[in-house]
Amino acid sequence: MRLNFRFIIALVMAAIALIGYFFNTSTNPVTGEKQHVNMSASQEIALGLQAAPQMAAEYGGESRDARAVAAVQQVGQRIVQANQLDQKTEYRYQFHLLADDQTINAFALPGGQVFITMGILKNLKTEAELAGVLAHEVGHVVGRHSAEQVSKSQLTQTLSGAAAVAAYDPQNPGSSVAKAAAAAMIAKLITLRFSRNDELGADDFAVKFLPPAGYDPRAMIGVMRMLESKSGGGGGPAEFMSTHPNPGNRIAELEKDIQQAYPQGVPAGLKP
C-alpha cells in the first residue's frame, strides 16, 4: 500500500512537471519558433542585470583599456543595429570587456548582457573574428537559450525528485540514494546535450548576423581554429561531456551553415 502511494505521488509530480513544461510556451520574436520558457523578456533583462556585476567580478571586473572597450562596444552594437535586433526584441544589448587576460572566454546573460575576456580578445586576429564571437553570444540572447535552460532544469529536477520518491525503499535507504544519483546524472546529461545544441544554434545565428553588419561569416572558422589550438588540439575533456562542442567539429557545422545561408556564395566586400 505504501509502495503504491509513493508511486502515485511520483506520477503526480512528474505529470505536473511535464504539463507545465510542454504547455508553457511563447513565440520567439526573431525566429518565430515556439519555445518552452517560463520567463518574460522583462524578467530575463532583470535577471541579466542582477547577475552582471558578479559575473564581471569573477573575471577581474571591467577592463580599463578604453580603446579596447570602445572597439568591443562598437562592433557589438553594429551587429545589433544592422540586424534590427534592438527593434525586434525588448532586450537591452550591452557589451562588456573583462580585464582577465589569461582566461579565454565569452558568454551572455539573459536579456542582452554580453561579456568577452581580454584573454580571448588578444588572441583574435581581425575585427571580423571579434564580431563572430560577439554575434555568437548575441545568438544565445536572441535564441533565449538561458530561459530555455531554466525551464529544462526545473523539469529535470522535478522528474529526478519524482524518481527518488518512487525508488525510496524504507527497508534499504541506501538504494534510494544510488537511484536518485543515477536519475540526477541522466538529467545532467540531458541538460548538457541541450547546451551543446544551443552552442551550435548560436553559431548559426552568428553566420546570419555577420554579413548585414559588414563581416565575413567565414571569420568564425578562424575563431574555432584559434580555440582548437588553445585547447591543445583536442586535449580537453571528451566532447560528449562538454557544454561546448569540440572546435574542430564546430568548423564542419559552420561550413554547412554558411553553405545553407549563402548557396550562391558569401557576399563580396565583407570584412574578413
Side-chain angles (χ1 to χ4, degrees):
M1 184 68 180
R2 291 180 180 177
L3 179 63
N4 290 336
F5 184 65
R6 289 198 302 274
F7 272 111
I8 291 172
I9 294 176
L11 287 173
V12 170
M13 289 174 61
I16 292 174
L18 289 168
I19 291 172
Y21 178 77
F22 286 105
F23 284 89
N24 192 356
T25 63
S26 65
T27 302
N28 189 297
V30 176
T31 66
E33 297 179 355
K34 287 191 177 296
Q35 295 178 281
H36 300 287
V37 296
N38 56 9
M39 283 194 295
S40 66
S42 60
Q43 288 175 320
E44 289 182 77
I45 292 170
L47 181 60
L49 289 172
Q50 182 178 3
Q54 180 180 347
M55 294 300 295
E58 292 183 9
Y59 292 88
E62 302 270 354
S63 171
R64 296 184 179 180
D65 187 333
R67 185 176 179 181
V69 169
V72 168
Q73 293 176 345
Q74 182 180 31
V75 172
Q77 291 300 334
R78 183 177 299 162
I79 293 167
V80 170
Q81 293 169 11
N83 292 279
Q84 299 182 325
L85 300 178
D86 51 345
Q87 301 176 32
K88 295 177 181 177
T89 69
E90 301 176 36
Y91 302 135
R92 303 173 187 174
Y93 299 92
Q94 295 180 318
F95 298 87
H96 307 265
L97 176 61
L98 303 179
D100 189 340
D101 63 356
Q102 298 300 311
T103 305
I104 296 177
N105 199 12
F107 54 92
L109 295 176
Q113 301 298 310
V114 176
F115 299 81
I116 180 173
T117 63
M118 185 63 80
I120 191 172
L121 180 63
K122 70 180 184 181
N123 282 285
L124 301 175
K125 297 179 180 178
T126 68
E127 184 179 317
E129 289 188 354
L130 168 59
V133 174
L134 296 179
H136 171 93
E137 299 306 329
V138 169
H140 280 306
V141 176
V142 170
R144 305 191 75 185
H145 294 159
S146 294
E148 284 189 317
Q149 287 288 357
V150 169
S151 294
K152 291 168 185 173
S153 177
Q154 291 174 340
L155 173 64
T156 53
Q157 287 175 6
T158 303
L159 292 179
S160 296
V165 170
Y168 180 71
D169 181 0
Q171 302 302 320
N172 185 13
S175 66
S176 65
V177 175
K179 292 179 180 178
M185 176 57 72
I186 293 173
K188 183 178 180 180
L189 290 175
I190 291 173
T191 302
L192 286 173
R193 179 58 185 170
F194 283 139
S195 184
R196 283 159 46 87
N197 288 340
D198 287 348
E199 292 296 329
L200 297 178
D203 283 347
D204 188 40
F205 273 120
V207 166
K208 295 171 182 174
F209 289 161
L210 289 173
Y215 300 109
D216 193 323
R218 291 171 292 194
M220 289 283 293
I221 296 175
V223 175
M224 293 305 135
R225 287 175 177 158
M226 180 274 290
L227 293 175
E228 189 173 29
S229 68
K230 293 300 179 180
S231 67
E239 180 184 351
F240 181 68
M241 293 299 294
S242 173
T243 57
H244 288 68
N246 183 289
N249 292 348
R250 286 172 71 181
I251 288 175
E253 293 297 325
L254 278 167
E255 290 174 339
K256 292 179 183 177
D257 291 341
I258 293 170
Q259 175 60 35
Q260 291 176 356
Y262 312 101
Q264 305 302 319
V266 174
L270 300 175
K271 292 184 179 181

